[in-house]
Amino acid sequence: MSEETVTSSAGQSPPTQDGAANRRPGMVLVIVLALQTMLILDVNVVNIALPDLKEALDFTPTGLSWVLSSYLLTFGGLLLLGGRAGDVLGHRRGMLIGVTVFTLASLLGGLANSAGMLLAARALQGVGAAIAAPTVLALIATHFTDNKSRARALGLYAAVSGSGAAIGLIGGGLLTDWLSWRWVLFINVPIGIVLLIAAPMFIHETERKPARFDLGGALTSTVGMTALVYGFIRAAESGWGDTLTLGSFALAIVLLALFVFIETHAKQPITPLRLFADRNRATGYLSLLFVMAAGNAMFFFLTQFLQEVRGFTPIQAGLAFVPLAVLILAASSIAAKVLPKAGPRVLTAVGAAAISIGLIWFARITPEAEYVSALLGPMLVAGLGMGTLLVGVTTILMSGIAPEETGAASGLLNVMQQIGGALGLAIMVTVFGAASRGAADEVPAGLDAKGAADFVLTEGVTTAFAWGAGFTALTILLTLIMRTVPMGGGEEAEPAPEQGANPAREVTAP
């Protein structure tokens, strides 16, 4: 596949727009933070609505994971291409295109009357998010040029990113309980319309830079990962010997091999494979993939356990996750302060150990598990581990990066979050499906239909949690082969991340 060359005919932004934008920096900040909030909420706000979606659109238990995976795959697979589009077309134009696609897709998703229509809309949402998301930090950088205002803007950006999980879970519960599951998608429409009206009024266009769109790399990686995820989910429903299962894995191998070939020969590759040549970054990316796999699966399965087995309402389920989300944010702040003394490898290992403990604890729950006595404890332990680990692994991934590769490295970090979450969830769903089928043959005598269903679902969920603990335990082993990151104030020290942002909060909580 060839690259499409795109060049700019207009290099500088109009001075009148610059002046107008600079007189209203507060509005610029409101607009970009509203965009960031809308994008970051979209996974968790839908998570709480999953049981209602399953009933309304007749999803299978394993097929339900596509509601998350279809969004994550297109978002992650096209994220680097979206960042390149902002450079080429101008970041304001990129933002407007991305928000338009995202808003229309949200409307279509809310109107969906079938599972296929909803999944198509979710995939289209991911396309819009991939175009719009990279423009947020770029617009902050171009509109806030002095250190003080930029630091304030980045601090608010970090706060929005860090609190997104809690806001999304509560908001999803409120919308689903008071209105319907459709409103977790409809809510994006008025926000998107306001952004489309306000952005041209207050945000000036940035300089457009000639570059190449690596369309071949973007398409082969996205379709290849989708085929891989489909293979795992198909295996959960139809077994490993199924023709479509085997065909999906074969297609994934071919496309991902083609992706590697394209990236090694492209003049401007969408994924600089040389970043994986460094031992720390290779193990760091793998660690991030494992953690996002376990984290996304934990939210996905706990949501269903709370509502389908324990009978929580959507609002109650959303509030149940708040302690975990808050502890992720608090732990990341504390970990950032102790990072210079402890070092990123230690934080990564300690965080992975805490997540493993939390997941093993979750793997012991029964259908009668009470929230305070059986679920709150492992939630808090897992949240502590996630916040701590994300600081360590982000620091490892962003250390020793050449200035010209900082953008690619940080973009790839975010890609690994989305792709890792989708692939990991697919593997966990496969485990869940196999365990559920086995449990269906071992239902204890004397249980009614509801009790039998609760037993089967709980057995599948706890098995998935146990596998998740195995993934995070592998992260501990990976830290043993990482090199020590040179630090300024002790054994290791915190490197300055891109644009001065807190590394603990550049990573979106699962």
Side-chain angles (χ1 to χ4, degrees):
M1 295 188 183
S2 62
E3 295 175 324
E4 178 183 347
T5 303
V6 180
T7 58
S8 168
S9 60
Q12 302 296 328
S13 52
T16 55
Q17 290 183 356
D18 283 354
N22 289 336
R23 286 196 297 268
R24 302 296 297 273
M27 286 303 301
V28 174
L29 189 58
V30 168
I31 291 168
V32 296
L33 292 182
L35 171 59
Q36 177 69 5
T37 301
M38 182 173 70
L39 297 178
I40 206 169
L41 297 185
D42 214 65
V43 173
N44 287 316
V45 76
V46 172
N47 229 325
I48 293 298
L50 289 175
D52 285 49
L53 277 167
K54 178 182 175 183
E55 182 177 349
L57 299 181
D58 198 26
F59 277 99
T60 65
T62 52
L64 191 64
S65 65
W66 278 109
V67 178
L68 300 183
S69 295
S70 57
Y71 177 77
L72 293 174
L73 284 167
T74 52
F75 188 3
L78 300 175
L79 187 59
L80 294 178
L81 188 66
R84 186 70 55 80
D87 291 336
V88 172
L89 302 175
H91 291 112
R92 186 183 71 177
R93 187 174 287 104
M95 171 190 171
L96 294 174
I97 294 171
V99 171
T100 299
V101 174
F102 189 89
T103 303
L104 289 175
S106 298
L107 178 62
L108 291 174
L111 296 172
N113 54 17
S114 67
M117 183 176 175
L118 176 64
L119 295 182
R122 287 288 286 167
L124 191 59
Q125 274 189 307
V127 174
I131 299 171
T135 66
V136 175
L137 283 175
L139 290 171
I140 288 176
T142 55
H143 286 74
F144 299 89
T145 54
D146 63 282
N147 290 336
K148 184 176 180 180
S149 64
R150 182 179 293 184
R152 176 176 174 272
L154 287 171
L156 290 172
Y157 165 85
V160 166
S161 299
S163 59
I167 296 172
L169 292 166
I170 297 172
L174 292 172
L175 291 169
T176 304
D177 217 23
W178 291 353
L179 298 171
S180 79
W181 65 265
R182 297 182 184 277
W183 279 93
V184 302
L185 296 162
F186 282 150
I187 192 63
N188 295 321
V189 177
I191 299 174
I193 292 173
V194 171
L195 290 174
L196 291 173
I197 295 172
M201 297 171 59
F202 299 102
I203 296 178
H204 69 76
E205 187 56 279
T206 58
E207 181 180 355
R208 298 166 65 179
K209 303 173 183 177
R212 293 175 179 268
F213 280 163
D214 181 12
L215 296 177
L219 291 176
T220 51
S221 63
T222 303
V223 179
M225 288 304 303
T226 301
L228 185 60
V229 168
Y230 179 80
F232 279 112
I233 295 176
R234 179 76 184 183
E237 296 178 334
S238 304
W240 292 97
D242 177 72
T243 302
L244 280 178
T245 300
L246 297 175
S248 296
F249 285 128
L251 179 62
I253 292 171
V254 171
L255 289 176
L256 293 176
L258 182 58
F259 163 73
V260 173
F261 175 82
I262 291 173
E263 296 308 279
T264 55
H265 291 79
K267 293 182 179 178
Q268 293 184 10
I270 195 171
T271 306
L273 297 180
R274 61 184 177 277
L275 291 175
F276 292 94
D278 179 84
R279 186 172 70 197
N280 271 18
R281 275 191 286 280
T283 53
Y285 285 130
L286 193 56
S287 298
L288 188 58
L289 187 147
F290 286 152
V291 172
M292 296 308 296
N296 272 18
M298 182 178 71
F299 276 85
F300 178 80
F301 289 117
L302 271 180
T303 295
Q304 295 176 72
F305 178 83
L306 287 172
Q307 295 185 63
E308 296 189 22
V309 177
R310 297 305 303 150
F312 280 37
T313 66
I315 291 178
Q316 291 172 329
L319 292 173
F321 282 105
V322 171
L324 183 149
V326 170
L327 200 57
I328 290 174
L329 186 60
S332 68
S333 298
I334 296 171
K337 293 178 181 178
V338 303
L339 177 61
K341 291 185 178 179
R345 284 196 307 167
V346 172
L347 292 183
T348 301
V350 170
I355 299 171
S356 298
I357 292 171
L359 288 169
I360 291 172
W361 196 344
F362 274 131
R364 297 173 60 84
I365 61 174
T366 65
E368 297 77 27
E370 294 293 336
Y371 175 74
V372 173
S373 61
L375 299 175
L376 182 59
M379 275 189 180
L380 296 178
V381 173
L384 177 65
M386 286 181 185
T388 303
L389 181 141
L390 291 176
V391 174
V393 76
T394 305
T395 303
I396 289 169
L397 290 173
M398 297 306 295
S399 295
I401 295 287
E404 65 273 13
E405 292 185 341
T406 303
S410 59
L412 190 56
L413 183 152
N414 286 292
V415 168
M416 291 300 293
Q417 292 181 73
Q418 314 302 332
I419 297 298
L423 180 58
L425 181 57
I427 295 172
M428 298 297 191
V429 165
T430 304
V431 171
F432 168 84
S436 297
R437 287 193 297 271
D441 298 328
E442 301 175 1
V443 176
L447 292 179
D448 58 14
K450 174 65 165 61
D454 290 349
F455 173 81
V456 170
L457 190 144
T458 303
E459 288 297 304
V461 165
T462 53
T463 304
F465 285 148
W467 274 68
F471 279 175
T472 52
L474 288 174
T475 299
I476 303 174
L477 298 178
L478 289 173
T479 62
L480 299 179
I481 61 176
M482 292 177 180
R483 298 190 313 274
T484 298
V485 178
M487 309 284 312
E491 180 195 356
E492 298 179 301
E494 181 180 4
E498 182 182 16
Q499 298 179 342
N502 183 345
R505 302 185 183 177
E506 285 295 317
V507 179
T508 303

